[in-house]
Amino acid sequence: MPRSQMLRLDLLPCFDVAARTLSFTQAAQELSLTQSAVSRQIQLLEESLGVALFERGHRSLTLTEAGEVMQRATRDALERLRDASARVRPGPGLRQVAMTCTHGFASLWLIPRLARFTASHPQVDVRISASMEIMDLERQRLDVAVRFVPSSVGRGQALFEEMVQPLCAPALLRDKTAPLRQPADLARHTLLTMEKPAGFALTSDWDPWFQVMGLQDMRMKNTMHFTQYADAVAAAVAGQGVVIGRLPLLQSLVNEKKLVAPFRSGAAATRRGYYLEVAAHADRNADAQDFARWLRAEAERP
């Protein structure tokens, strides 16, 4: 489009007020401009459109048909922009803590407990970025990270080490047609497992536990695969099979008797754990410091 035919967006606020008031004089007062400045802006807009927007009488101003079309479009566009700017503009005194963690930690451990933090910090907006990616706290302006990494490379304070063991719904354990008394009995049950993304060795998969138990060659009756660990856990709670339980992520479900351990023994350490890191810039964020202390206290709760 030739530059001379491009719509002058900077002239639309002036047109919006003039179309609403039907007076260049009132529009000038509202916009803190002179009447001649308003008249000139309307003239420039009309020239860019190639059509008259107002019919100018001796002491009256009315919209042309084209002016009415432009008024409706301009009002709608400006309202959308005002709504969008209100949503993205930080409010007065906004207090925020931004953190990163894995999907499993967020959905299974953090979110069920988060109300205890927000109850004591109602003005703080906690923003959670759940990802398997190891994010750079400084570059991505994150205050806190909970990393799930091998214990040998863990940085920061260890919140807890991970143990894994089979877990299932109590109803499945009471099913006499397919007893679950020893690990070999799993061969008659549906195992709920995770698909392994390339590059990740997820302990939510059964292989590490089978190796510890010496059951690498056991053939399964059936398996159900999930892309998210939380979905596999939900299926276990619904009685659809046995999940490899990552503790203490699932400890609250065990405490509530929604999941039970079918075997008296069989817990295995994965040599991985959850480590708390606080960004250097978070030293200036009192809410981030409170949040980190709250995470440490929650990790110590039974």
Side-chain angles (χ1 to χ4, degrees):
M1 178 183 294
R3 188 173 183 82
S4 60
Q5 296 181 20
M6 294 179 65
L7 177 62
R8 290 281 304 273
L9 298 179
D10 58 310
L11 304 175
L12 293 181
C14 181
F15 168 72
D16 180 58
V17 177
R20 174 168 48 82
T21 62
L22 291 177
S23 170
F24 290 170
T25 301
Q26 291 184 40
Q29 294 173 349
E30 190 169 323
L31 295 169
S32 298
L33 298 172
T34 64
Q35 190 271 347
S36 60
V38 170
S39 180
R40 178 58 179 162
Q41 289 197 33
I42 298 301
Q43 183 182 357
L44 289 173
L45 181 59
E46 290 175 326
E47 290 175 356
S48 71
L49 292 170
V51 65
L53 300 174
F54 293 94
E55 291 182 358
R56 297 160 174 81
H58 178 59
R59 290 184 178 275
S60 65
L61 195 67
T62 58
L63 287 166
T64 64
E65 185 177 347
E68 291 176 350
V69 172
M70 283 299 298
Q71 182 191 32
R72 289 192 294 270
T74 300
R75 183 188 302 123
D76 181 66
L78 292 177
E79 283 298 326
R80 288 173 179 267
L81 288 171
R82 293 186 188 104
D83 290 344
S85 64
R87 288 195 296 269
V88 303
R89 182 182 294 119
L94 178 67
R95 294 161 56 182
Q96 179 178 303
V97 176
M99 76 161 300
T100 177
C101 61
T102 65
H103 294 93
F105 183 87
S107 62
L108 297 169
W109 192 91
L110 177 60
I111 291 174
R113 294 167 169 79
L114 194 57
R116 288 199 280 265
F117 178 80
T118 56
S120 59
H121 296 74
Q123 304 303 317
V124 178
D125 179 16
V126 179
R127 301 198 172 186
I128 304 169
S129 178
S131 173
M132 292 299 292
E133 178 187 354
I134 301 296
M135 297 185 180
D136 185 283
L137 299 185
E138 297 299 329
R139 185 170 65 247
Q140 295 175 280
R141 303 305 297 172
L142 294 164
D143 300 303
V144 177
V146 175
R147 315 283 200 192
F148 178 54
V149 294
S151 302
S152 59
V153 299
R155 296 173 51 189
Q157 181 175 357
L159 292 180
F160 37 71
E161 299 293 317
E162 183 185 65
M163 301 287 290
V164 293
Q165 68 179 113
L167 295 174
C168 65
L172 198 64
L173 195 59
R174 293 193 295 266
D175 184 359
K176 303 301 183 183
T177 62
L180 267 174
R181 298 190 182 93
Q182 56 187 349
D185 292 338
L186 289 169
R188 296 192 295 270
H189 287 266
T190 297
L191 266 61
L192 311 172
T193 186
M194 284 275 294
E195 294 178 354
K196 291 184 179 180
F200 291 101
L202 298 179
T203 54
S204 51
D205 190 79
W206 283 84
D207 290 347
W209 186 83
F210 281 146
Q211 291 175 10
V212 171
M213 295 294 110
L215 299 172
Q216 301 95 310
D217 300 326
M218 187 169 64
R219 293 180 179 274
M220 299 297 107
K221 170 191 172 184
N222 189 29
T223 58
M224 292 177 61
H225 294 264
F226 300 85
T227 56
Q228 296 293 336
Y229 181 59
D231 294 335
V233 173
V237 172
Q240 296 178 16
V242 186
V243 72
I244 190 69
R246 298 165 62 184
L247 302 173
L249 284 194
L250 304 188
Q251 191 60 53
S252 61
L253 294 175
V254 173
N255 293 344
E256 296 166 8
K257 308 297 185 185
K258 293 181 178 179
L259 290 175
V260 295
F263 315 124
R264 292 185 178 275
S265 60
T270 65
R271 299 181 182 178
R272 296 174 71 91
Y274 293 84
Y275 291 81
L276 174 65
E277 292 185 42
V278 181
H281 67 257
D283 288 344
R284 302 184 297 274
N285 185 342
D287 293 319
Q289 298 297 321
D290 286 348
F291 187 67
R293 282 191 289 269
W294 175 80
L295 285 171
R296 289 190 287 266
E298 285 293 317
E300 295 175 358
R301 291 170 68 102

